[in-house]
Amino acid sequence: MNPAGSVVPICTLAVDAMGGDHAPEAIVRGVDIAAERHPGVKFLLFGQEAALVPLLRRHKRAAAHSEIRDAREVVGNDMKAAAAVRLRGTSMRAAIDAVAGGHASGVVSAGNTGALLALAKIVLKALPGIDRPALAAIMPSARGDTVMLDVGANASCDSRNLVEFAVMGDVFARTVLGLTTPRVGLMNVGAEELKGDERVREAADILRGTYLAPNFHGFVEGTDIASGTTDVIVTDGFSGNVALKTAEGAVKLVLQMLRSVFTASIATRMGYVLARPGLERLREMIDPRRYNGAMMLGLNGVVVKSHGGTDAQGFAYALDLAIDMAANSFNDRIRDGLARIVDSGALGAREGGKAPRMAAGS
């Protein structure tokens, strides 16, 4: 029961305060930024109390909205996922346990990616009806933000997995990106209906028979990611991870080339002065900190993975994502979407309470 006059939190987030290259300082500073944006959110900081107390003294907003939960052990960046799973006293495990125990709606960590994904799957488990959770990422495009999934959690997927990813991507685009009718595309080697292997073609056929059909664009290619042909791009984790890393490398290359061009001579430096407002706007649009935070979708709880090398501003963006998902009942909407597809019979009858897996194409 909340005392009279107190502010009821929009949600409570568990934060792995020791995960990441610049933890815990960048983490606490990120919480401080997020606390200003979201005054109704409560943060549970899991980490070494001796390190966190002095930081909270310096960051008053974070202190006012946070509670420290002492966790002495830390999952190292080079620790194998199997080893991390065996450790019970790490800040990462304790933060995930808080979600599993109902003390927080979601968890955010900048720590070891493999360990986070393994722990989240084991502790939180998949939502009913979800065969495999997916890792999703937001990417910039010519028409606005695009969400792509899977980007690394599942190297190979069958047609059922791809349909589930489409549902989760559609819900994410509506909930977080604020789109009323997001367009969904299925990644393929060509836009023609006969292109691709059996699993991709079968997933397309299923989607055309679901409630997503009016907004299902069909097949998209790699060039469609940047052009913004669709708002949601569905693919397997292998292809998605390659596409994501390629895009990140392309952005870095463009920035390096611009820097090289505008420092080549006195004339180009003068040109930079004239072009600076536009270049600053471009830098803001493709700032990797704005897209910091990969979301593990399909679990019993919100899980956001921040880039390990991010600064406070980037970590605050990852917290923003988790807050949007938790405050807007993201998982409930996934359940509703899956129920609509199952009820339509598009995925076939369930056997023993679990929907059968489609046969993967060669």
Side-chain angles (χ1 to χ4, degrees), residues 12-15 44 46 69 91-107 123-124:
T12 298
L13 288 186
V15 178
L44 303 180
F46 291 85
R69 301 291 173 86
S91 57
M92 182 184 289
R93 175 60 183 263
I96 295 173
D97 283 343
V99 179
H103 306 295
S105 299
V107 58
V123 177
L124 298 179

Side-chain angles (χ1 to χ4, degrees), residues 7-337:
V7 177
V8 178
I10 296 174
C11 64
T12 298
L13 288 186
V15 178
D16 173 14
M18 308 308 293
D21 299 343
H22 307 296
E25 183 170 357
I27 306 305
V28 173
R29 288 176 56 208
V31 169
D32 194 69
I33 296 170
E36 182 178 20
R37 297 174 184 165
H38 310 280
V41 175
K42 178 181 177 181
F43 302 94
L44 303 180
L45 306 185
F46 291 85
Q48 297 167 358
E49 187 172 8
L52 294 174
V53 168
L55 291 171
L56 289 178
R57 289 195 186 112
R58 298 205 302 268
H59 300 284
K60 303 300 184 183
R61 287 189 302 263
H65 294 82
S66 303
E67 290 182 13
I68 296 175
R69 301 291 173 86
D70 193 35
R72 305 297 177 86
E73 295 180 276
V74 177
V75 174
N77 290 334
D78 57 351
M79 184 179 290
K80 299 294 185 182
V85 168
R86 290 193 294 269
L87 294 176
R88 298 277 181 169
T90 65
S91 57
M92 182 184 289
R93 175 60 183 263
I96 295 173
D97 283 343
V99 179
H103 306 295
S105 299
V107 58
V108 183
S109 174
N112 184 312
T113 302
L116 180 67
L117 299 185
L119 281 168
K121 287 180 180 179
I122 291 171
V123 177
L124 298 179
K125 297 181 174 51
L127 288 168
I130 294 291
D131 186 26
R132 296 186 185 182
L135 196 62
I138 302 175
M139 304 176 68
S141 77
R143 299 180 58 164
D145 291 339
T146 297
V147 59
M148 183 164 67
L149 70 167
D150 185 17
V151 294
N154 306 284
S156 62
C157 303
D158 60 25
S159 56
R160 178 185 176 86
N161 301 145
L162 296 174
V163 172
E164 291 173 0
F165 297 169
V167 172
M168 294 189 285
D170 173 75
V171 171
F172 184 90
R174 294 173 187 273
T175 303
V176 178
L177 301 185
L179 303 176
T180 55
T181 55
R183 296 157 299 164
V184 178
L186 190 59
M187 182 73 77
N188 202 350
V189 294
E192 298 84 357
E193 290 190 14
L194 296 179
K195 288 290 184 70
D197 59 25
E198 182 183 351
R199 66 193 175 93
V200 175
R201 296 197 304 271
E202 188 174 45
D205 288 340
I206 294 171
L207 288 170
R208 292 188 183 102
T210 69
Y211 75 95
L212 293 173
N215 298 320
F216 179 53
H217 176 82
F219 296 138
V220 294
E221 301 178 76
T223 54
D224 292 302
I225 300 174
S227 64
T229 302
T230 62
D231 306 296
V232 179
I233 295 180
V234 177
T235 184
D236 61 78
F238 182 89
S239 303
N241 190 266
V242 171
L244 178 65
K245 298 295 175 60
T246 301
E248 291 175 347
V251 169
K252 290 180 181 178
L253 176 61
V254 169
L255 292 176
Q256 289 173 357
M257 293 174 70
L258 285 172
R259 191 175 299 112
S260 176
V261 166
F262 283 110
T263 58
S265 66
I266 294 176
T268 56
R269 289 191 182 98
M270 293 175 64
Y272 170 76
V273 173
L274 296 175
R276 185 171 179 176
L279 291 173
E280 287 296 320
R281 175 60 181 149
L282 173 64
R283 189 183 67 162
E284 291 175 4
M285 291 171 64
I286 61 176
D287 185 349
R289 295 179 301 179
R290 289 187 62 239
Y291 301 94
N292 177 49
M295 298 69 64
M296 193 68 181
L297 308 183
L299 293 169
N300 282 295
V302 172
V303 180
V304 174
K305 170 62 176 74
S306 168
H307 193 285
T310 192
D311 59 10
Q313 191 66 57
F315 193 77
Y317 279 120
L319 292 169
D320 289 342
L321 272 177
I323 292 166
D324 280 346
M325 293 170 68
N328 288 289
S329 304
F330 180 78
N331 283 343
D332 290 339
R333 298 188 183 196
I334 288 179
R335 292 187 186 95
D336 292 343

